[in-house]
Amino acid sequence: MNRPSISVPLGTSASASPRFAPSSRVERLLCGLAIAIGLIGAVAFWAARGSLWEDEVIAITHSLQPLSSFVSEMLRNDIHPPTWFLLLKGWTAWAPGSDAWALASSLVLALAAAWTVHRVTLRHDSPSAALWACALYVVQPTFAWSAGTLRMYSLVPLLAVLSWHLGRRLIQGGSTRVGVVLVTVQLLLAYSHAIEFLFVGLIALNVLWVDWSRSDRAGRWRWARWQALTLVGMTWLPLSALSRGTEPLPPSHWTGLFHNPASMIAGWSLESDSPFLIAGGLVFLGMAALALRTADGRRILLGLPVLGLLAALGIGMFGKPLYKTPVFAANLLPFLAIAAGLGAARLGAPAARAGAALLLLCLAATTLPWSQRQLPPENYAPAGRAIAAAVRPGDMVVVPNVSVYWGVMRYATTPQWGRPLEILPPDNASWQALKRKLGPDWVRRLSLTQTGDRVEFNGVTYVIGEPRDLALAPGGSLWVVQRARYASSVGLTTPARVTGTEWFGKELSVQRMQADPTGTTTVSNPDRP
């Protein structure tokens, strides 16, 4: 039989009575103003976005594939599980060619995450703590960045905070329905990123720590039984990470003790910029100081942001590097804001309350320019449109890298240019061996049959990969699109010379070549300007 929920505010112990500092009108106005500025910053970042960058191109390419081949597409061309890509698929179906519409999905999810931070804190604590938590969350520069970035980093905070809330409800006496919803949310969260299963476990353990004194043995056993189901449902994920790998990341170093907390605040693209990194570190310390003022704030702070960062650093130093700013910020910053909100709501001394207000004001005043500094440079759309305007029937465009090819095709031809599973470079030895094991029937059923390495569009041939035997059409031009960080080369059957090179941003180059007996038969990456 289910026990009634034990109603004890989040910032207090089960044996203590809550002591809330009075929330003044000025304090409510301050938090409300900060929330408004943070939401404006998120909308402004979304509105200022131009074309998609490479990871976003990958995401939207997945989302535009037929459902019949969607799973094969994910397994062949991505390391991440499908939760977010399926959600994006439903969203982009309404306007597959609109970057703004696709990015709006992240804006909506980010706003929902901010609302969830407020409602969950209100459910377990006071209106003052909920206002502070929401305000401290939305004025983070990374909140605005996630709202205008086509990745899973706006979905993750929503599901993470919701799973924490449902876990607390379950352990305090929740019903079977709560358990079912909890496991569902946890599995959706686990299947949203290649290493997200680690955060699912971390959040679940934090629930146990925070609510140990608020639950009895029956509640803890009920929690454990439902968590066992989640564990079973996640079993495939660590196996996938071990067998298929995760993203290549730089090796961890002890300086991550200082760098990683600061970079979560500073933002991914600014984590090497010393002024922003220092500012991020100061903000993290200020929020941690607020969190340390209450017992549960300390449990949340130490059990999620601190433990999560330390675990990643330890695993990275002695095993495989794990730390990547966006995924850690998405999972840990909402809980840092909740923990800090609990402390801010209970400040009694005028000086302490003034310090919290100053922290919030500084973030509110800087979040718009800070987040705008993280806008990605334009490259794929300008490059694709420039190619589309310059090519003529009979020309050939070669793009050695797969994801760069998808970006060029989206902007130079049409968003729904073809199926990535069919248009690929020749299989490497591993894929050839796998297809032999599967046999032709299963290769066909799994939509793994390739039709070639090129697409014809308006008389222009777009080739993917690094062919060694390209022949230029008489009087035609060859265009080679390369990304600086991906070393590649293309082989020609007849010599040609470079007649022009144009850079789009610092990464993407487009070389134009024409037949010339004095030219070269190998086209490599050009030197950066």
Side-chain angles (χ1 to χ4, degrees), residues 3-212:
R3 292 177 67 249
S5 178
I6 303 172
S7 180
V8 181
L10 179 61
T12 65
S13 65
S15 59
S17 60
R19 295 179 60 194
F20 298 110
S23 177
S24 68
R25 182 181 179 185
V26 172
E27 188 176 4
R28 292 194 297 272
L29 287 174
L30 171 64
C31 288
L33 178 63
I35 291 171
I37 291 174
L39 297 182
I40 290 171
V43 174
F45 190 92
W46 167 78
R49 283 298 312 275
S51 66
L52 305 179
W53 50 276
E54 188 164 333
D55 284 3
E56 296 173 319
V57 167
I58 294 172
I60 201 166
T61 302
H62 292 335
S63 73
L64 295 179
Q65 301 315 303
L67 194 60
S68 59
S69 59
F70 182 82
V71 174
S72 296
E73 162 70 19
M74 294 292 305
L75 291 174
R76 173 75 192 252
N77 292 319
D78 214 295
I79 60 170
H80 294 298
T83 293
W84 179 72
F85 296 108
L86 281 170
L87 182 65
L88 184 62
K89 179 173 181 56
W91 182 276
T92 55
W94 293 94
S98 171
D99 290 352
W101 173 253
L103 290 164
S105 65
S106 294
L107 177 63
V108 171
L109 288 170
L111 298 180
W115 180 85
T116 302
V117 166
H118 179 271
R119 297 302 298 176
V120 166
T121 310
L122 181 63
R123 168 65 174 78
H124 297 288
D125 205 89
S126 68
S128 178
L131 274 176
W132 273 102
C134 185
L136 287 167
Y137 179 58
V138 301
V139 293
Q140 300 295 327
T142 48
F143 172 76
W145 178 86
S146 71
T149 300
L150 195 63
R151 297 297 287 164
M152 64 285 293
Y153 305 125
S154 54
L155 173 66
V156 164
L158 169 63
L159 295 177
V161 174
L162 189 57
S163 71
W164 185 76
H165 162 64
L166 291 166
R168 295 198 64 244
R169 284 189 60 188
L170 182 67
I171 202 171
Q172 290 187 25
S175 63
T176 299
R177 183 176 65 178
V178 173
V180 171
V181 177
L182 169 64
V183 172
T184 301
V185 171
Q186 286 180 319
L187 290 178
L188 288 173
L189 178 60
Y191 281 81
S192 62
H193 192 278
I195 64 168
E196 194 62 37
F197 62 92
L198 298 172
F199 293 101
V200 172
L202 196 66
I203 293 168
L205 291 176
N206 187 253
V207 167
L208 188 62
W209 188 16
V210 169
D211 274 339
W212 186 270

Side-chain angles (χ1 to χ4, degrees), residues 258-483:
F258 311 100
H259 175 274
N260 296 352
S263 68
M264 289 202 309
I265 306 292
W268 192 16
S269 61
L270 299 175
E271 61 184 5
S272 299
D273 196 322
S274 295
F276 288 97
L277 201 62
I278 292 170
L282 293 174
V283 171
F284 186 93
L285 289 175
M287 295 179 69
L290 289 173
L292 290 171
R293 298 188 65 88
T294 67
D296 279 335
R298 289 190 291 272
R299 294 187 186 104
I300 297 169
L301 171 70
L302 297 176
L304 285 170
V306 172
L307 181 58
L309 290 169
L310 288 177
L313 183 63
I315 295 171
M317 290 180 67
F318 300 103
K320 181 177 177 59
L322 284 179
Y323 181 78
K324 185 178 181 181
T325 300
V327 67
F328 276 77
N331 280 282
L332 303 181
L333 281 187
F335 296 104
L336 179 62
I338 290 173
L342 300 180
R346 286 168 174 76
L347 293 174
R353 299 175 78 84
L358 180 62
L359 173 65
L360 186 59
L361 280 172
C362 288
L363 276 169
T366 59
T367 188
L368 188 58
W370 194 337
S371 61
Q372 291 286 309
R373 283 291 298 270
Q374 300 184 64
L375 283 168
E378 287 274 314
N379 44 30
Y380 283 95
R385 290 164 186 158
I387 291 169
V391 293
R392 297 292 179 266
D395 284 359
M396 183 177 294
V397 180
V398 182
V399 189
N401 180 262
V402 171
S403 53
V404 177
Y405 183 83
W406 296 350
V408 170
M409 294 301 287
R410 177 173 179 82
Y411 295 109
T413 62
T414 176
Q416 295 174 305
W417 50 267
R419 297 190 179 188
L421 285 174
E422 297 176 354
I423 309 300
L424 283 169
D427 286 329
N428 58 27
S430 298
W431 273 101
Q432 290 176 17
L434 177 60
K435 287 184 176 181
R436 283 195 298 268
K437 290 180 180 179
L438 290 172
D441 289 341
W442 274 105
V443 167
R444 186 180 63 258
R445 291 170 188 169
L446 294 173
S447 302
L448 296 176
T449 303
Q450 293 175 233
T451 60
D453 64 349
R454 58 197 65 195
V455 171
E456 301 283 340
F457 185 82
N458 289 341
V460 179
T461 303
Y462 293 83
V463 181
I464 187 172
E466 300 181 60
R468 315 313 303 171
D469 56 353
L470 282 180
L472 275 69
S477 296
L478 172 68
W479 308 78
V480 183
V481 187
Q482 293 163 300
R483 189 174 175 186

Side-chain angles (χ1 to χ4, degrees), residues 234-251:
M234 295 194 306
T235 302
W236 178 80
L237 293 171
L239 296 176
S240 172
L242 289 171
S243 62
R244 302 177 66 229
T246 55
E247 296 178 72
L249 297 169

